[in-house]
Amino acid sequence: AQKVTQAQTEISVVEKEDVTLDCVYETRDTTYYLFWYKQPPSGELVFLIRRNSFDEQNEISGRYSWNFQKSTSSFNFTITASQVVDSAVYFCALSEAGGAQKLVFGQGTRLTINP
Amino acid sequence: DGGITQSPKYLFRKEGQNVTLSCEQNLNHDAMYWYRQDPGQGLRLIYYSQIVNDFQKGDIAEGYSVSREKKESFPLTVTSAQKNPTAFYLCASSTRSTLGLKYIQYFGAGTRLSVL
């Protein structure tokens, strides 16, 4: 069975600090997809990134970066120079390749950026 | 604007009552999903549909029912058999045909259901 673990329930930092959100996953599939979503106070989940299991390159998008390591089954998310607008709940998710493309979510990490 | 519309935003259910949550998408997506989110927890899959007139149970389907008569619409009914319906319900959709967007689920703004 697939499983996603986000061990950090809540993180609080001061604005401009860097912060890393951890995500560890379990799957028996050789091909799969990993995702990060952001849930602001409004409630809607906003898609941030998709990574397939064959691509271990790290990715950077502005202040966001993602570190995918298959050897440790981790897909961590770093925000550089955090801003108050980054405050939200962040979810890591895992999907099978093919089939119904169902998502398995972690418990989420509530990130609070203090001014 | 293309997107997913969920209504109502807030819903209240009386004891023994069935209520229906609406989910409409104009993204021409094939697949649609319903998730439940409880406070401080991740999302759990209730039902999903990959094509019109077909749907499957997710991990927590008991007490819920769905239909998929049109590609654009995937309503969720919370029946009286669901004894603990208070939660935040999110609908999502995804495409199976656009390579760059495959497997990405896009979400609506959610419906918050409470029991009176």
Side-chain angles (χ1 to χ4, degrees):
Chain A
Q2 297 182 324
K3 184 179 178 182
V4 176
T5 302
Q6 294 179 254
Q8 303 152 309
T9 304
E10 295 191 34
I11 299 175
S12 181
V13 300
V14 176
E15 199 172 19
K16 297 184 183 177
E17 286 186 22
D18 298 347
V19 57
T20 295
L21 309 182
D22 297 332
C23 173
V24 175
Y25 63 92
E26 297 174 28
T27 181
R28 293 182 180 177
D29 296 337
T30 54
T31 305
Y32 50 88
Y33 288 83
L34 294 162
F35 303 81
W36 277 95
Y37 283 87
K38 175 181 179 179
Q39 186 177 42
S42 61
E44 179 176 350
L45 261 70
V46 177
F47 165 74
L48 295 177
I49 189 172
R50 177 193 68 185
R51 170 68 76 227
N52 74 53
S53 52
F54 294 129
D55 183 1
E56 287 195 70
Q57 283 189 1
N58 291 335
E59 180 155 343
I60 299 174
S61 175
R63 297 184 297 105
Y64 297 171
S65 63
W66 291 269
N67 183 353
F68 174 34
Q69 290 195 340
K70 224 170 172 179
S71 60
T72 56
S73 296
S74 65
F75 186 42
N76 297 336
F77 173 30
T78 297
I79 301 175
T80 303
S82 60
Q83 299 177 2
V84 173
V85 293
D86 295 326
S87 297
V89 180
Y90 290 86
F91 290 97
C92 181
L94 170 67
S95 171
E96 58 191 352
Q101 304 175 18
K102 296 180 289 182
L103 284 175
V104 173
F105 284 86
Q107 299 287 76
T109 297
R110 180 176 298 278
L111 176 63
T112 302
I113 311 297
N114 299 297
Chain B
D1 275 327
I4 300 170
T5 302
Q6 289 188 242
S7 62
K9 190 171 182 179
Y10 298 97
L11 187 58
F12 298 92
R13 194 191 87 166
K14 296 179 182 178
E15 290 286 339
Q17 186 182 41
N18 293 352
V19 292
T20 298
L21 285 61
S22 171
C23 178
E24 303 275 334
Q25 55 98 358
N26 60 6
L27 300 168
N28 198 33
H29 284 177
D30 305 290
M32 297 187 73
Y33 309 81
W34 273 105
Y35 293 90
R36 169 179 172 143
Q37 184 180 20
D38 292 285
Q41 296 190 30
L43 281 69
R44 293 181 291 168
L45 183 64
I46 305 173
Y47 268 98
Y48 61 99
S49 168
Q50 299 180 73
I51 56 172
V52 175
N53 292 322
D54 186 50
F55 49 83
Q56 287 78 40
K57 294 181 179 180
D59 300 321
I60 55 166
E62 186 173 349
Y64 300 97
S65 66
V66 294
S67 62
R68 186 85 186 278
E69 298 176 1
K70 299 187 299 181
K71 188 175 185 179
E72 306 78 29
S73 179
F74 191 40
L76 173 74
T77 296
V78 183
T79 74
S80 56
Q82 173 49 246
K83 297 307 179 188
N84 184 23
T86 297
F88 188 51
Y89 292 86
L90 285 154
C91 177
S93 69
S94 68
T95 181
R96 306 181 74 83
S97 56
T98 306
L99 184 60
L101 299 177
K102 278 175 71 173
Y103 303 104
I104 300 173
Q105 291 186 22
Y106 296 93
F107 285 79
T111 293
R112 200 165 296 277
L113 175 62
S114 302
V115 176
L116 289 176

